[in-house]
Structures are given as C-alpha cells and as structure tokens.
Amino acid sequence: MAEKKSKRDSIGLDEKGCRTNNGFVQNEDILEKDPDPGSPADGPQPCSVGILGPGEPDFKDIRPYAGMPKEVLFHFSGQARYRVPRELLFWLTVAAVLVLTAGTIAMIAVSPKCLDWWQAGPMYQIYPRSFKDSDQDGNGDLKGIQDKLDYITTLNIKTVWITSFYKSSLKDFRHAVVDFREIDPIFGTMKDFENLVAAIHDRGLKLIIDFIPNHTSDKHAWFQWSRTRTGKYADYYIWHNCSHENGITIPPNNWLSVYGNSSWHFDDVRNQCYFHQFTKEQPDLNFRNPDVQEEIKEIIQFWLSKGVDGFSFEAVKFLLEAKHLRDEIQVNKNQTPDTVTHYAELYHDFTTTQVGMHDIVRSLRQTMDQQSREPGRYRFMGTEAYGDSIDRIMMYYGLPFIQEADFPFNDYLTRLDSPSGNSVFEVITSWMKHLPEGKWPNWMIGGPDNARLTSRLGKEYVNIMNMLVFTLPGTPITYYGEEIGMGNILATNLSESYNVDTLLSKSPMQWDNSSNAGFSEGNHTWLPTNTDYYTVNVAVQKSQPRSALTLYQELSLLHANELLLNRGWFCYLRTDSHHIVYTREMNGIDRVFLVVLNFGESSLLNLKEIISNIPTTVRIKLSTNSTKKGSEVDTQAITLGKGEGLIFEYNTKSLLHQQADARDRCFVSSRACYSSVLNILHSLC
C-alpha cells in the first residue's frame, strides 16, 4: 500500500473506481474511502485511464466543483438550470449592443452640426501698431498684445484677429510686404510671435491673421528678380510694353489704380511697365503663373505650421485681370478720356472678379483643409471683398459642395453714416435674404479702413450698435476700442506715407488716464491719442456699472450662454425710421428674446400692436440703460430714449417662425431644435 500511495502522490492520479482526480480534491461527500478488505475492489480492476467506455459515466453522485474535467463540465452545462440563464444573458448582451449601436447612429443622424470655434463667439480685430507698446518706442507690438490677453478674455472673445505685421516698406499701412515669412522689426521677432501664439492658445483662444496675396512691395526679392528677368521670377508680375511721348509714359490702357491715376508704372531696369491695383510701391503678382500660386500656398502652410488658426484673405477680387488689355468703360461716357483719373469713374469689369478668380480662392481653401485634419484644429478662412455687390460677395461662400470662405466679411454696417432704423434694417435683411442655405453670417461695426462708430453715428449709438451685433444671428466682430466707444482722432501731419482717410481710426488704444492713455511709456507715440482718453478708457469704464464696456461684457456673456442668440431663429417684426423690432427664438424653448432698438429720438412704443400675444408685462433682460435691467414694464407703453436698446424676455408657446404669415420674415443660419427632456439639440424640427 505504501508503494501504491507513493506512486499516486507522485502523479496526482487516482484510478480507483475508474475515476480520475487530475490533481484536484472533489466534494467531501465523494472522497475516497478505504476499501473493505473483503471487497472485490481489493483486486486489480480492469480500467483504462482517461478513456470513456461505450456508455456515459455516472455523474449521479457528483456536484459541480472547481477544476472539474471537461466531461463533468459538459454534463452540467447542458442542464436547463445552467443553459437557460447563460443563453438569456448572451441574447440580452446582443440586444443591448444593437440598441446602443442603433441609438448612437440615430443620435448622430438627428444631431445638428456643432458650432465651430469661429461661430461660437465674437472676434476681436487688433491693429497691432496701435494696441499696446511694450518697449517704449511709441509703436504697438506683439509683446504688447500678449500683455493684454487677460483683458481680451474678460470680453468673452473667442478669436483674436491681428492685421498685417509682415516685414513691410511701410506703404499703405503695412500692406507693401517685403517678406511674407518675416515679422517687421517694429512689432518684434518671430520668437515674440511664437510666444504670442502659445499664450493665445493657453487661454483657449484662436488666432487669425491678415494676408494679402494680390501684391508685394517693390522691395520684395521676387520683384527685384523679376525686373532683371531672373529665371522663373521673370513672369511673377504683370509686365507690358508701354510707349513714351515727350518724356511722358503712355500706359497700355486706361486701367486705374484704386488710389487714382494709371495703374501702370514704368520700370527703367526692365524697360517695361508693371501693373499695380494699389500704389506703385505695390506691384500685382501674376496669379496666372502656377509658380506664383504655389509660392502663396507655401507661405500659407508656413504660418499654419506656426500655429495660426486661420486667415483673413484681403483684396481677393483683384487677384486676376483680363488677359486682353481693352480699356474699361467710363461711367460718364461724355467725360473726356484724358480727365478720367479717379477709380470710381470707370466700371472695373476687366480688373476685378475675373473668371478663374474663384478657382484660386478654392485652391487656397484646399490648402487650408490639408491642415484641418486634426480634431479641433479646423483652419478658418475669411475673405474681404469690400465694395462688391451683395450678389458677388455671396459667391465667396462657395457652392453647395465646393467650399470657399467660411464667410466673407460683412462691412455694410461700417458704412452707415447716419442712424436710421430703415437703413440698419436694409443691411440686415439684404445679407440674410441673400445668404446661401446653411451658411453663417457675420457683423462688424468698425475696422481699420473705416471711420469709428462714435465719429460716424455719435457716441449715444455705441451701446445700441453693440447690442445689435450681439443679438443678430452669426459672429459679431469688434474692432479694438469699439467696446469702450473710442472715436477718430483729428487729422495730423505724419512723416510717413499713409492714406489719411484710413488713418484717423487707428489711434492708440486707450487703457487708462495716464500719459499716452496707458498705451506707451515712451516719450512719443506713432499717432497721437484721442483727447477724450481721460474719460474714455478701459480702467475708468471697468469701475462704472453703466459704462459701454460693462454692457459689452454683459452682451458677450449673454450671447455665449443663450441658445436663442447663438443658434435661434431671427424674425423681424417692425422697422421704421426710428425702430427695429425682432425676436430670437428656437423650437423646444418656450421662451423668447424680443429686441427693440431705437435709432431716433425719444419715443413711446406699443408692443401689443406689434405682437398680439405678448404678455401685458415683460421683464427687461438687458438694456443700454442699466437702471432698467431686470425691471418689469407695460408692453403697451414702452418708453425709449434716443439710441436706447432693450432686450425683453418672456414665455410663449406661439413662435413666430412657425406661423405661416411670418415665415418670410424669419431666418436661421444653423437649424436646430432643443429637447428639454433629453437636454440636447436635434434637427427633427
């Protein structure tokens, strides 16, 4: 027996009763027992280990145990009490996966497109030479912008837009670029720019910059090589033979520069005339040359690799000119041709918006898209086509399946020279009615090439215009200083060459009432500060609850937090020489914002006559007069002061855009509905 036990222990196998243990202990009730000495079990038993006989083994006295062999496992797994729960769990798992998959697909299918970063909040446009001077030389710079980023975040800005800062020969406000890959020393270094980009992104902001692909400076290396006919650069610009009579250059045709006089200038090195749409120091590139297009695309990629999030492409309508050199038609056909020297005296059918120009814009879009493949790194593209008709401007949105700009910049409100409800209404409805379906609008009330709002309309209209752009559908765009109501400076003499008409709106930012308005600690500034900076500045208005700055911050915060404003329908109700009345509403939200703006003198307005189902009293959500904020007013007698704006909030289930007789007065840019049950947006409206 000892020899048998030793052998059994060494191999972990019990052959007694033709059962194998495989090294595991079975249930206690079937443990081995010493055999009866008189039992036949004392003798050797014929048995084949691990091989079943022709009949099924008897598992009657066995219960499931850990480590059971497969024969035992198969026996119990087939029993109903084990099989049924197992199969039930399997099919429940399959059903759950199918339901989750179907639900995910359905959720994606009915969800509206999320707003991108350039749609989600306002843009803030900075003219860098006038924003903040960090090195006391009297010129604003990139470090100065970085120093003031915390202020920009208090405005609830989403995108910082910096105008041209490239190395330039200082003609036409830095648009005569000498090198597209260099920072002008006035603004700092490339390291300063990289630090600024990092700081902007650290604060959750985005950065777009200006880019004018149409022309360069005559000091640019490309032009210097072109005028000497060096290699491929010989055809980088538009050259043509011109004649001379009595020492006077006779241009090839009557085409005019935007600034007046002939757009052709003779170059005595090449002995030909080159074409320039703007000043003679800004020769036009030849975009019919594929090499030029590739150069521009490489420059775009260069700045995108630096972390830039998008571009404002300016002067794009000038990219191509007609191949022929036929004279453009005079506006006044009776005018003597030799006296036609002003740009407005010709129809520019051969020098703007030529066939093929939009193909170039699309190719720039494709270059941007190549850098937009990373999640969250979409690259924005805006275009400037100021002065074009509304139909031509809308073409920059592209076609239904061929995208160009995310939006062309809308400067129509910057052209208003007198306050009028009718004129403001015409600007709004003209853009919205021509807007292609699914495209996104934008609104700006100032810019570096326009007189400031205060100087155009009067300081009493600063708040109401800011209220307008923040309550319209689309992206509001603010030119630096408009949030505090800065005005133009008076004309002044400068040692540099500038277009004075666009100079007056570029005065230094007014930060406080210290020397130079806190813009610079230097002894001089490149432009004088406005004389009103003692009272019109950021520091003073921060502490005033009724200031333009405070209202701007409240409006931008409301715009960011309210679906009614950033995704809702716009429905206009009334317009006249004084008033504009419109609502912002959304399916699924039984609440409406009613905006009333008064561009005339003080008046009394009966809202019951305009909206029959409006409650007798409504609450003022925001007002240009802060003392009225939060108060309840009688809708049959709304008192409005000159330049006053009110945002009312009230509950209703009768939304205007759902009413047949009001649908032609309602617009939406990104259709969406709200489900209060699921707290989500959907498109099943």
Side-chain angles (χ1 to χ4, degrees):
M1 286 293 294
E3 182 180 350
K4 263 187 170 184
K5 186 174 187 305
S6 175
K7 184 176 182 180
R8 183 177 67 241
D9 290 344
S10 66
I11 65 176
L13 174 69
D14 178 13
E15 297 180 353
K16 293 185 178 184
C18 296
R19 293 196 299 269
T20 57
N21 189 305
N22 291 331
F24 295 95
V25 177
Q26 294 183 4
N27 294 332
E28 293 179 359
D29 58 345
I30 58 171
L31 291 175
E32 290 184 30
K33 298 179 181 180
D34 291 335
D36 187 347
S39 169
D42 281 343
Q45 300 293 322
C47 182
S48 298
V49 178
I51 301 177
L52 293 174
E56 291 291 332
D58 183 11
F59 298 107
K60 177 174 60 175
D61 297 329
I62 301 177
R63 290 186 297 180
Y65 57 92
M68 68 185 78
K70 66 179 180 179
E71 295 87 358
V72 180
L73 179 64
F74 288 159
H75 169 72
F76 288 107
S77 65
Q79 295 179 6
R81 59 176 174 170
Y82 297 110
R83 185 185 73 253
V84 172
R86 185 175 67 248
E87 292 179 353
L88 184 61
L89 286 174
F90 171 77
W91 290 112
L92 284 175
T93 302
V94 171
V97 170
L98 292 175
V99 169
L100 287 173
T101 302
T104 301
I105 294 173
M107 188 73 72
I108 294 172
V110 303
S111 295
K113 185 179 182 296
C114 294
L115 295 183
D116 219 321
W117 56 265
W118 49 273
Q119 300 169 305
M123 295 181 175
Y124 191 76
Q125 186 181 22
I126 295 173
Y127 189 75
R129 197 175 185 186
S130 297
F131 196 62
K132 184 68 172 75
D133 172 22
S134 69
D135 57 6
Q136 303 179 25
D137 68 349
N139 296 289
D141 45 48
L142 299 179
K143 283 185 177 179
I145 296 175
Q146 184 174 342
D147 291 343
K148 292 299 183 179
L149 286 179
D150 288 338
Y151 164 74
I152 292 174
T153 60
T154 67
L155 303 178
N156 303 300
I157 298 296
K158 297 297 182 184
T159 304
V160 177
W161 172 9
I162 304 178
T163 62
S164 181
F165 51 75
Y166 309 103
K167 188 174 182 181
S168 167
S169 56
L170 290 178
K171 297 292 182 184
D172 191 41
F173 293 93
R174 321 203 61 75
H175 289 165
V177 177
V178 173
D179 191 335
F180 285 108
R181 290 181 172 87
E182 290 290 335
I183 306 292
D184 195 287
I186 283 181
F187 300 126
T189 65
M190 185 61 74
K191 183 62 176 177
D192 293 336
F193 179 78
E194 292 168 350
N195 292 339
L196 174 60
V197 172
I200 286 174
H201 289 161
D202 286 345
R203 289 165 173 79
L205 305 176
K206 299 291 186 178
L207 171 66
I208 65 174
I209 62 176
D210 272 1
F211 185 43
I212 303 182
N214 178 70
H215 51 263
T216 70
S217 167
D218 58 353
K219 303 295 190 299
H220 197 291
W222 297 346
F223 186 77
Q224 296 303 313
W225 292 328
S226 186
R227 67 199 302 230
T228 57
R229 304 178 190 266
T230 302
K232 67 177 184 178
Y233 299 100
D235 195 30
Y236 263 40
Y237 296 83
I238 301 166
W239 297 93
H240 203 275
N241 293 327
C242 46
S243 58
H244 300 271
E245 291 182 5
N246 300 322
I248 299 175
T249 301
I250 308 301
N253 55 32
N254 73 341
W255 295 355
L256 296 176
S257 159
V258 170
Y259 297 119
N261 298 316
S262 177
S263 56
W264 296 95
H265 185 75
F266 181 73
D267 179 68
D268 53 7
V269 174
R270 180 153 170 159
N271 202 31
Q272 281 186 309
C273 283
Y274 63 84
F275 180 71
H276 59 90
Q277 295 263 28
F278 296 90
T279 67
K280 63 182 177 60
E281 293 85 4
Q282 297 167 289
D284 275 36
L285 286 165
N286 178 15
F287 267 84
R288 297 193 186 278
N289 183 340
D291 290 336
V292 171
Q293 294 191 35
E294 286 305 311
E295 292 271 16
I296 295 300
K297 291 175 184 177
E298 289 176 7
I299 293 168
I300 292 171
Q301 292 169 342
F302 172 82
W303 289 106
L304 292 178
S305 69
K306 291 290 184 182
V308 169
D309 299 294
F311 288 93
S312 164
F313 290 102
E314 297 195 34
V316 289
K317 71 177 182 179
F318 300 106
L319 290 179
L320 289 179
E321 299 76 30
K323 293 180 180 179
H324 61 73
L325 297 179
R326 293 198 296 269
D327 285 351
E328 291 188 316
I329 300 172
Q330 294 179 196
V331 173
N332 180 5
K333 294 182 180 180
N334 297 322
Q335 186 175 357
T336 304
D338 291 342
T339 65
V340 176
T341 58
H342 295 289
Y343 191 72
E345 294 173 344
L346 292 178
Y347 293 110
H348 302 285
D349 297 328
F350 302 146
T351 53
T352 61
T353 320
Q354 297 299 291
V355 174
M357 182 272 291
H358 281 280
D359 293 331
I360 296 174
V361 176
R362 291 177 195 127
S363 71
L364 299 180
R365 170 78 266 174
Q366 291 169 0
T367 301
M368 305 280 285
D369 288 342
Q370 291 171 4
Q371 303 289 326
S372 299
R373 292 169 182 168
E374 284 184 53
R377 289 307 306 272
Y378 181 81
R379 308 306 181 113
F380 168 83
M381 177 176 172
T383 55
E384 172 268 313
Y386 302 152
D388 265 348
S389 66
I390 189 70
D391 291 323
R392 284 192 171 186
I393 289 177
M394 291 297 153
M395 293 175 66
Y396 289 99
Y397 278 109
L399 302 174
F401 299 103
I402 304 177
Q403 185 180 3
E404 291 185 29
D406 291 300
F407 54 64
F409 290 103
N410 175 5
D411 74 326
Y412 282 90
L413 288 174
T414 69
R415 305 181 198 176
L416 295 177
D417 292 326
S418 60
S420 164
N422 286 330
S423 58
V424 172
F425 170 78
E426 178 59 30
V427 168
I428 297 169
T429 54
S430 175
W431 193 273
M432 297 303 292
K433 286 179 178 179
H434 287 86
L435 187 71
E437 184 176 358
K439 299 301 183 180
W440 192 256
N442 67 99
W443 313 94
M444 55 202 307
I445 55 176
D449 297 323
N450 305 97
R452 286 194 176 272
L453 175 66
T454 300
S455 301
R456 285 186 290 114
L457 304 183
K459 62 182 180 181
E460 61 267 38
Y461 293 101
V462 170
N463 288 338
I464 195 175
M465 291 300 289
N466 280 327
M467 180 173 284
L468 173 70
V469 296
F470 273 104
T471 54
L472 290 175
T475 299
I477 301 173
T478 298
Y479 182 51
Y480 82 96
E482 298 290 359
E483 72 274 18
I484 60 173
M486 282 178 57
N488 284 3
I489 57 172
L490 299 176
T492 183
N493 294 324
L494 290 173
S495 59
E496 297 174 280
S497 175
Y498 286 104
N499 178 355
V500 177
D501 292 338
T502 61
L503 174 67
L504 308 181
S505 62
K506 295 180 172 70
S507 61
M509 178 67 177
Q510 296 165 200
W511 294 106
D512 54 43
N513 55 14
S514 65
S515 175
N516 298 323
F519 164 73
S520 174
E521 295 179 3
N523 295 325
H524 71 283
T525 57
W526 81 281
L527 278 181
T529 55
N530 199 307
T531 55
D532 65 0
Y533 78 87
Y534 287 100
T535 55
V536 181
N537 64 69
V538 172
V540 167
Q541 294 196 12
K542 271 184 178 179
S543 61
Q544 294 177 343
R546 301 173 64 175
S547 68
L549 178 59
T550 300
L551 178 64
Y552 184 96
Q553 292 170 322
E554 291 175 337
L555 286 167
S556 61
L557 187 62
L558 186 69
H559 181 273
N561 294 332
E562 283 289 350
L563 286 173
L564 295 176
L565 293 180
N566 55 52
R567 295 295 292 258
W569 285 80
F570 164 85
C571 297
Y572 66 86
L573 295 165
R574 174 174 173 170
T575 180
D576 54 39
S577 59
H578 291 339
H579 309 105
I580 295 179
V581 181
Y582 55 90
T583 64
R584 299 303 309 277
E585 54 192 47
M586 176 180 277
N587 296 76
I589 299 180
D590 298 334
R591 184 168 52 87
V592 167
F593 284 150
L594 175 66
V595 183
V596 180
L597 307 176
N598 178 29
F599 289 92
E601 299 296 328
S602 298
S603 60
L604 192 67
L605 194 62
N606 185 350
L607 293 179
K608 275 286 188 181
E609 294 178 349
I610 303 173
I611 312 174
S612 58
N613 62 346
I614 193 171
T616 304
T617 59
V618 292
R619 188 175 71 90
I620 297 177
K621 182 74 173 179
L622 272 182
S623 170
T624 55
N625 182 350
S626 63
T627 60
K628 294 184 178 180
K629 178 182 175 182
S631 61
E632 299 275 340
V633 294
D634 183 358
T635 54
Q636 298 186 56
I638 303 294
T639 302
L640 292 163
K642 181 179 180 180
E644 183 174 0
L646 299 169
I647 302 176
F648 298 105
E649 182 181 32
Y650 64 93
N651 296 324
T652 181
K653 293 185 180 297
S654 179
L655 302 179
L656 281 174
H657 74 273
Q658 295 175 335
Q659 300 173 19
D661 60 344
R663 286 177 184 169
D664 61 339
R665 295 183 280 119
C666 296
F667 307 95
V668 68
S669 299
S670 181
R671 189 185 300 268
C673 312
Y674 177 72
S675 171
S676 57
V677 176
L678 300 176
N679 191 29
I680 62 169
L681 290 175
H682 61 89
S683 58
L684 298 178
C685 303

